[in-house]
Amino acid sequence: MRSVQRILAVFESFSPARTALSLQQIADRIELPKSTAFRIVRSLEECGYLVRLEDQRFCLSLRLTRLAGLVKSTLDIREISRPVMVELAAQTGETVAIYGIVGRDRVCIESIGSSSSPLRTVLQPGEQFPLGVGSASKVLMAYLSGPSVAPVISAAARATRRTSAQIVTELEAVRRQGYALSHGERLLGLSAVSAPIRDIDDRVRYCLTLNGPSVRMQAHEENLVRGLVHAAADISRLFGAPAEPSSPSTFQESQDATARSRTPTLDPPPRHRYGSIRSR
């Protein structure tokens, strides 16, 4: 496993800004001694996955293009995200969904419900809700770009009886902290937390959302936020997103801007990947 991780680290050390690297640069990026990096790079060169240039730097070979072409053309966000969604729903006991944008609405693309409690959120794939309220709307709107942004923000401002400037300020905060929370915005007594899903081009077209009764979710808000953000990052990685340069703000930091310099007060990482949170 360690050898596989090292090989993948070599591949991921290249980027659009650095398509060719020296041996020392590769060693620095994968944090290994130069001698160890040389053995890995040499093996990849012999197998045809790296090419040595005239200036003795290395670049990825076209052999990787052939492998990229073998990726299933039908592999979509539902197939990629479903195993993560199932695990998150099982460990939190709440409903997990993925949303995308259609026009000025957000649409549920996939939903995994929990059957462990009679009090739960029910979401059906294909359901649409106007953009403007709810954590999923905030995340999807926060990463919109181009000419579609202004009409969507204006519509959201009218729907929520706020100014466009207030909407913009809220969306900027969502981008900074890496997630959005909502309590009773779409339905009284319903809470949700959403985080962006990034694709291979680092774009955000979908978001992952955890929904549940406010009485349960607010009691475990910090852990639910953390588990949801980690799950969204896992899906992004499977979707081909570049590695994040830094982790998102902690829950405590994002809730109180004046406390950014404090030591984060989150609990130690849970034993389960997304936290075994049973708020029953």
Side-chain angles (χ1 to χ4, degrees):
M1 178 59 71
R2 185 173 62 176
S3 297
V4 172
Q5 291 172 339
R6 288 176 172 179
I7 291 171
L8 294 177
V10 170
F11 289 147
E12 293 180 355
S13 65
F14 294 90
S15 68
R18 290 185 175 270
T19 57
L21 298 170
S22 67
L23 178 60
Q24 186 61 61
Q25 287 174 322
I26 293 174
D28 292 341
R29 284 173 171 253
I30 64 177
E31 298 180 347
L32 287 175
K34 190 174 179 178
S35 58
T36 304
F38 173 76
R39 291 194 294 271
I40 299 173
V41 168
R42 180 61 179 164
S43 297
L44 291 173
E45 182 186 7
E46 290 177 349
C47 294
Y49 289 101
L50 290 181
V51 175
R52 189 195 300 261
L53 304 175
E54 290 184 1
D55 60 3
Q56 299 305 304
R57 292 188 301 166
F58 295 88
C59 68
L60 299 174
S61 79
L62 293 176
R63 190 165 190 176
L64 291 169
T65 304
R66 181 183 66 82
L67 294 178
L70 299 178
V71 177
K72 284 181 60 179
S73 60
T74 57
L75 193 62
D76 61 14
I77 187 65
R78 295 178 67 180
E79 289 182 278
I80 291 172
S81 61
R82 189 171 179 84
V84 176
M85 295 173 67
V86 169
E87 184 175 356
L88 181 62
Q91 292 181 2
T92 63
E94 304 296 356
T95 299
V96 183
I98 283 184
Y99 287 96
I101 289 182
V102 176
R104 296 185 184 180
D105 294 337
R106 60 180 168 99
V107 59
C108 179
I109 296 172
E110 183 64 289
S111 175
I112 303 295
S114 172
S115 59
S116 58
S117 172
L119 182 61
R120 62 184 184 274
T121 307
V122 178
L123 292 169
Q124 297 296 331
E127 281 191 273
Q128 293 189 7
F129 308 97
L131 287 171
V133 296
S135 64
S137 291
K138 295 174 187 177
V139 168
L140 293 172
M141 291 168 60
Y143 294 92
L144 278 177
S145 60
S148 60
V149 177
V152 169
I153 290 179
S154 297
R158 290 193 299 270
T160 58
R161 298 182 180 181
R162 293 187 294 169
T163 66
S164 294
Q166 289 174 318
I167 299 289
V168 169
T169 299
E170 183 177 31
L171 299 183
E172 289 174 348
V174 170
R175 286 194 297 272
R176 284 196 305 270
Q177 66 189 22
Y179 65 88
L181 276 165
S182 64
H183 298 297
E185 293 186 12
R186 186 173 67 84
L187 290 174
L188 189 63
L190 176 66
S191 291
V193 56
S194 300
I197 296 173
R198 301 177 182 274
D199 63 16
I200 193 169
D201 298 315
D202 207 27
R203 296 179 302 171
V204 175
R205 294 179 293 156
Y206 309 101
C207 72
L208 183 68
T209 300
L210 192 65
N211 303 269
S214 298
V215 66
R216 288 203 304 257
M217 290 194 62
Q218 287 181 303
H220 299 274
E221 208 167 78
E222 295 185 26
N223 285 329
L224 290 172
V225 167
R226 181 172 51 195
L228 186 279
V229 170
H230 286 175
D234 281 350
I235 295 175
S236 297
R237 176 178 53 80
L238 296 172
F239 212 38
E244 287 290 334
S246 60
S247 58
S249 302
T250 65
F251 175 85
Q252 189 66 32
E253 288 172 334
S254 63
Q255 291 297 295
D256 187 355
T258 62
R260 288 179 182 171
S261 61
R262 294 186 311 188
T263 302
T265 58
L266 290 176
D267 299 332
R271 289 192 306 170
H272 296 279
R273 180 183 297 177
Y274 309 125
S276 184
I277 306 157
R278 286 285 179 172
S279 48
R280 299 286 174 261

